[in-house]
Amino acid sequence: MRQASASNETMENSSLMTDLFKICTQCERLSKKDVGVRIPRPMGNGPSRFIPEKEILQVSKLDERIQSIFEDAFAVLGRLDNISLVMGFHPQYLESFLKTQHYLLQMDGPLSLHCRHYIGIMAAARHQCTYLVNLHVNDFLQVGGDPKWLNGLEEAPRKLQALGELNKILAHRPWLLTKEHIERLLKAEEHSWSLAELIHVVVLLTLYHSLASFTFGCGINPDIHTDGGHTFRPPSLSGYCVCDIANGNGVLEEMFGNQQVSELSGEVEVLMEKMKQLQECHDEEEASQEEMATRFEREKTESMLVVTSEDEECVPSRDVSRHFEDPSYGYKDFYRRGEHVPTLRVQDYSWEDHGFSLVNRLYPDFGQLLDEKFQIAYNLTYHTMATHQGVDTSMLRRAIWNYIHCMFGIRYDDYDYGEINQLLDRSFKVYIKTMVRTPEKITKRMYDSFWRQFKHSEKVHVNLLLMEARMQAELLYALRAITRYMT
């Protein structure tokens, strides 16, 4: 913050603040006493467009652990972004997420700091996620990145340009990745990547593809310090001081109240009853391997028929599309006319038995951090469903995780895919598929339409599951291609 150089400048700025904002007596007194700096106002009403601001801010007030995590994050990064605030509903996960982010972006590793952020920009831009793009543009410049690279991918070094194909395949059709793609990156003469660098690249790309899904799925608003996150214009509704807005005393909530979407009577109880019935069926009999394989193929085929907002074409702006190649390239389902992508059986290539050791070998200790993050997201539970206590949610969490992997052609031989249709209704499947395929098309209506009786914290939990399942699916295909190249 700069100090005003002259008293008349201070008076002018103080007067300007009073003109711009309707401010309370206390703030007016402080503004005259202060150095006269204009204070920006957040553009959005809180960290999320989907979740009431007071509900998010209440978490840090009631939970000392999350308060401590926020303080540590601010001390390290100099900011507390909106993604972290929303993840604050689940402190155990947030702690692991921030630790992974810190290691990946700031600690010693194969890639230079500015390259890490530039790859983050490339990955986030693939899904038109301006929130993450802006965040990493700022960080890229802060660590000494060349501003010319931000003019477009063609301005970046050829070595980074060569990642364009890997970026688009991993984001939209990761099952198409082959050892030949890996070989081209590792044997590009003076522009080649090392194996260690490529592991770092792959982790960055898959992380920010999946984090884009979380960002759109939770309706994350721009941070106040980034483009589109603030304004100096006065609030559109009068009668409130700017300090009310900054402190979360939202005028919109007080004027219009917390209008909840009408609840579907008995939705939670019906789901709990289905879980109970499925568990009883498990205890009585187990389907044969042939039947389970058939059910997987049926679910994989049916996942194609879940209609998303595919007709609403999202044309990326130049600001975003300049950071990646081939904007028309997108997700395609497995079964096309004359096209068949083989199923990836987890028993043949899994994170636990294959991917984990490969990452840990080429990027020491990071495999452990990733594994911890996957495990926390998958196993996280408070034994609640809406207002019900003491509920075993493991069956539901597994169905969500396995449905996402099924969409990527990944099969668990020991899982009965018939459970998915029992536990996940159509509106939830539409939300999941859009989150994974085209997260930029997620709307508040879609967010509100699934699990209408559940808490926002539970929906954030779902988004954490979706994010981590997607990241692991992309990673499996990338690491399998690298393994095949190495052998």
Side-chain angles (χ1 to χ4, degrees):
M1 186 180 290
R2 68 171 181 85
Q3 189 169 359
S5 57
S7 60
N8 62 335
E9 185 180 348
T10 302
M11 292 175 63
E12 286 173 12
N13 283 333
S14 179
S15 173
L16 182 60
M17 270 192 64
T18 308
D19 292 341
L20 280 172
F21 300 106
K22 179 177 178 63
I23 60 175
C24 64
T25 308
Q26 170 70 0
C27 287
E28 185 174 9
R29 182 176 63 80
L30 290 172
S31 70
K32 288 176 180 177
K33 188 176 176 182
D34 211 340
V35 294
V37 176
R38 293 173 65 193
I39 301 174
R41 178 173 67 84
M43 286 286 284
N45 189 30
S48 165
R49 298 188 304 281
F50 299 169
I51 306 169
E53 181 179 19
K54 284 186 176 179
E55 195 165 330
I56 296 171
L57 298 180
Q58 192 70 13
V59 175
S60 61
K61 291 178 182 177
L62 299 177
D63 192 325
E64 289 185 8
R65 180 183 180 188
I66 196 63
Q67 209 166 21
S68 174
I69 294 171
F70 284 165
E71 288 169 2
D72 291 344
F74 188 84
V76 172
L77 300 172
R79 65 168 185 260
L80 192 59
D81 58 50
N82 287 340
I83 285 179
S84 297
L85 288 170
V86 172
M87 285 183 181
F89 281 115
H90 306 286
Q92 184 186 5
Y93 175 85
L94 175 60
E95 198 166 26
S96 175
F97 174 81
L98 290 174
K99 195 190 304 180
T100 305
Q101 289 275 98
H102 178 65
Y103 194 97
L104 190 63
L105 295 173
Q106 295 176 281
M107 298 292 284
D108 288 343
L111 298 176
S112 61
L113 297 183
H114 64 283
C115 275
R116 302 178 199 193
H117 290 295
Y118 194 80
I119 292 165
I121 293 168
M122 290 174 64
R126 198 67 239 184
H127 282 305
Q128 306 168 39
C129 188
T130 54
Y131 175 89
L132 291 174
V133 168
N134 288 336
L135 211 59
H136 285 282
V137 162
N138 289 343
D139 290 340
F140 172 78
L141 294 173
Q142 281 182 6
V143 297
D146 187 343
K148 289 180 182 178
W149 296 11
L150 300 177
N151 293 332
L153 187 58
E154 66 278 0
E155 297 287 336
R158 285 183 59 188
K159 186 173 176 178
L160 283 166
Q161 290 181 39
L163 296 177
E165 188 174 22
L166 178 66
N167 184 22
K168 74 178 185 182
I169 292 175
L170 277 178
H172 304 294
R173 311 179 203 174
W175 53 88
L176 295 182
L177 199 64
T178 66
K179 66 178 183 179
E180 285 73 30
H181 291 110
I182 303 303
E183 186 173 17
R184 283 198 289 272
L185 291 169
L186 296 174
K187 294 185 176 179
E189 298 176 354
E190 72 268 25
H191 306 296
S192 63
W193 297 84
S194 70
L195 268 172
E197 286 176 330
L198 194 57
I199 289 290
H200 202 165
V201 166
V202 161
V203 173
L204 283 165
L205 291 175
T206 56
L207 171 64
Y208 286 106
H209 293 156
S210 57
L211 193 55
S213 287
F214 181 86
T215 302
F216 285 115
C218 290
I220 301 294
N221 280 322
D223 294 325
I224 190 170
H225 68 281
T226 61
D227 288 347
H230 63 271
T231 181
F232 290 100
R233 297 177 61 188
S236 58
L237 296 171
S238 61
Y240 283 78
C241 172
V242 67
C243 68
D244 287 313
I245 299 168
N247 291 325
N249 302 323
V251 60
L252 291 175
E253 287 183 45
E254 292 198 16
M255 286 190 65
F256 302 115
N258 295 322
Q259 297 180 357
Q260 300 295 325
V261 178
S262 59
E263 295 179 346
L264 188 65
S265 179
E267 178 187 32
V268 181
E269 290 75 14
V270 169
L271 183 53
M272 288 175 64
E273 182 59 29
K274 286 180 179 177
M275 289 163 60
K276 181 182 176 184
Q277 290 173 0
L278 286 170
Q279 187 58 54
E280 289 172 353
C281 289
H282 280 183
D283 296 339
E284 291 172 9
E285 59 177 328
E286 190 173 310
S288 66
Q289 283 296 314
E290 293 76 14
E291 177 60 24
M292 295 229 273
T294 300
R295 290 175 185 176
F296 169 78
E297 293 299 331
R298 186 184 304 131
E299 189 58 49
K300 189 167 69 169
T301 304
E302 286 179 2
S303 73
M304 292 170 47
L305 306 177
V306 177
V307 179
T308 61
S309 51
E310 205 65 57
D311 50 332
E312 300 170 15
E313 194 61 37
C314 290
V315 179
S317 68
R318 167 64 186 160
D319 281 349
V320 174
S321 65
R322 62 186 169 185
H323 299 301
F324 64 91
E325 63 177 37
D326 196 2
S328 64
Y329 191 93
Y331 179 99
K332 289 284 188 283
D333 286 311
F334 304 115
Y335 291 116
R336 312 292 291 176
R337 288 181 185 175
E339 178 186 337
H340 175 74
V341 178
T343 294
L344 169 58
R345 296 171 70 249
V346 169
Q347 281 68 19
D348 296 331
Y349 197 92
S350 70
W351 165 253
E352 293 81 4
D353 297 330
H354 307 90
F356 170 79
S357 58
L358 179 61
V359 172
N360 242 16
R361 179 149 52 98
L362 294 171
Y363 192 3
D365 301 325
F366 192 72
Q368 188 64 47
L369 289 174
L370 265 185
D371 188 60
E372 178 185 297
K373 189 161 67 81
F374 289 145
Q375 290 295 327
I376 289 173
Y378 185 85
N379 295 312
L380 188 65
T381 182
Y382 305 94
H383 303 289
T384 60
M385 282 180 67
T387 58
H388 297 269
Q389 306 289 324
V391 183
D392 181 359
T393 61
S394 57
M395 181 180 291
L396 185 57
R397 285 180 277 119
R398 191 179 186 193
I400 294 168
W401 186 280
N402 288 359
Y403 179 60
I404 296 158
H405 279 196
C406 177
M407 289 170 55
F408 283 91
I410 299 170
R411 180 192 165 205
Y412 295 82
D413 286 351
D414 61 347
Y415 183 69
D416 181 357
Y417 286 85
E419 293 182 7
I420 290 174
N421 273 340
Q422 295 290 317
L423 299 176
L424 312 183
D425 63 26
R426 183 172 181 77
S427 62
F428 193 14
K429 282 187 170 183
V430 168
Y431 178 80
I432 291 174
K433 193 169 185 182
T434 308
M435 272 276 287
V436 171
R437 291 179 58 173
T438 51
E440 60 273 17
K441 295 181 181 179
I442 286 285
T443 63
K444 187 175 188 299
R445 179 184 58 78
M446 295 172 69
Y447 174 88
D448 289 336
S449 70
F450 83 92
W451 284 12
R452 283 169 279 185
Q453 288 185 319
F454 285 73
K455 300 171 187 174
H456 287 292
S457 61
E458 291 171 312
K459 292 194 172 189
V460 172
H461 186 181
V462 166
N463 285 339
L464 294 178
L465 274 172
L466 300 184
M467 174 174 74
E468 295 298 340
R470 177 187 176 175
M471 180 179 180
Q472 191 178 100
E474 285 189 31
L475 259 183
L476 280 178
Y477 282 110
L479 297 175
R480 184 183 68 165
I482 293 172
T483 301
R484 286 179 171 174
Y485 166 78
M486 292 171 66
T487 54

